Amino acid sequence: MQDLNRTDKVRMTQQRRVILEALRRDNIHPTADAIYEMVRRRLPRISLGTVYRNLEILTALGEIQTLEMSGSQKRYDGIAQKHYHIRCVHCGRVDDAPIAPLNRLEDELYGATVYTIMGHHLEFVGLCPECSQNEEAQRFAERHLSMPSESP
Amino acid sequence: MQDLNRTDKVRMTQQRRVILEALRRDNIHPTADAIYEMVRRRLPRISLGTVYRNLEILTALGEIQTLEMSGSQKRYDGIAQKHYHIRCVHCGRVDDAPIAPLNRLEDELYGATVYTIMGHHLEFVGLCPECSQNEEAQRFAERHLSMPSESP
DNA sequence: ATAACTGCAAAGGCTTTGCATGGAT
DNA sequence: ATCCATGCAAAGCCTTTGCAGTTAT
């Protein structure tokens, strides 16, 4: 991870602008390589490393947010405001979850934990409309769902 | 990921037993390589691949659970029952969060999303007691906390 | 004999980084 | 001249996998 000093000056380069525009244009929460493919249509010589570096800088600037989903790949969101997401366990698609932030969630933990609580991450999982109609995806989801055991 | 067929017979080997015992002994939610180091004291010839394979099998059997935290590495929990966790943003330590499962969380989404909702992942973040007293960790945490912007 | 399991090493997937070059102030 | 940014390729980190050999049934 690059050492982004808060005194660093930042320039709005072509690459940075095009990446930001790609993220702002639609709300598909793309992975870094998906952004790379989108941006490459306009800047064919851009490198994947540049994409990663700019995604990190744009996140540090508060222009976008980096989603560390429970899946493997990170995803990026052109909307910096805090909001929750829902992820398809089968195809990985990510959408915004239409639910307001739970600002009081941490209250229950005060006094009950030795940690200094800073916040929480919440993500919903399910099947997107396409995968909901796919039998193989449904079997996959059932296996996924069955464990760990539910609490009583 | 190995193709774990539900008709596969499973044997309780030395390796598997020792891994399970290491996870059950304490509740430190170790990473795979931490488990490897613990288990290696008793079985010096075990391989990291065997550890990973057994962690997957034990998870499929419902004996343990695999935690896909928002950080990079997976962690493993000897308690299979569903419960939440809190993670130190500085050192990565993970503890159980003393809060009951929120079983009604999904209700708000019914009708509001095109997804078939299956569940949610919730994780708290903060500073563990040790890192709470470490100035460098606190600065790190502040930078972490400042974005993305809070919703109004 | 068969099927499950292991150790080892290699490969894989995603992300970060070193370095020489290029561009803006 | 300075400092930020880029392209490229290599390295890094964590995890999975192929394979030949081993062990339990």
Side-chain angles (χ1 to χ4, degrees), chain A residues 22-52:
Chain A
L23 274 167
R24 290 276 164 80
R25 190 176 313 124
D26 41 31
N27 214 3
I28 62 167
H29 312 87
T31 58
D33 58 288
I35 295 165
Y36 177 55
E37 291 306 328
M38 294 191 273
V39 166
R40 225 138 74 99
R41 295 201 284 267
R42 280 218 263 161
L43 304 174
R45 296 190 44 77
I46 198 174
S47 77
L48 185 55
T50 296
V51 172
Y52 273 107

Side-chain angles (χ1 to χ4, degrees), chain A residues 113-118, chain B residues 86-95 125-134 137-138:
Chain A
T113 179
V114 289
Y115 278 64
T116 305
I117 308 155
M118 291 166 46
Chain B
I86 180 163
R87 179 176 52 85
C88 178
V89 295
H90 189 249
C91 70
R93 170 176 160 188
V94 173
D95 281 87
V125 294
L127 285 175
C128 72
E130 286 71 35
C131 293
S132 291
Q133 295 181 255
N134 173 332
Q138 292 195 11

Side-chain angles (χ1 to χ4, degrees), chain A residues 1-2 11 32 48-49 52-53 72-74:
Chain A
M1 197 184 289
Q2 55 191 313
R11 295 175 188 154
L48 185 55
Y52 273 107
R53 272 187 287 236
S72 45
Q73 284 181 78
K74 289 183 185 169

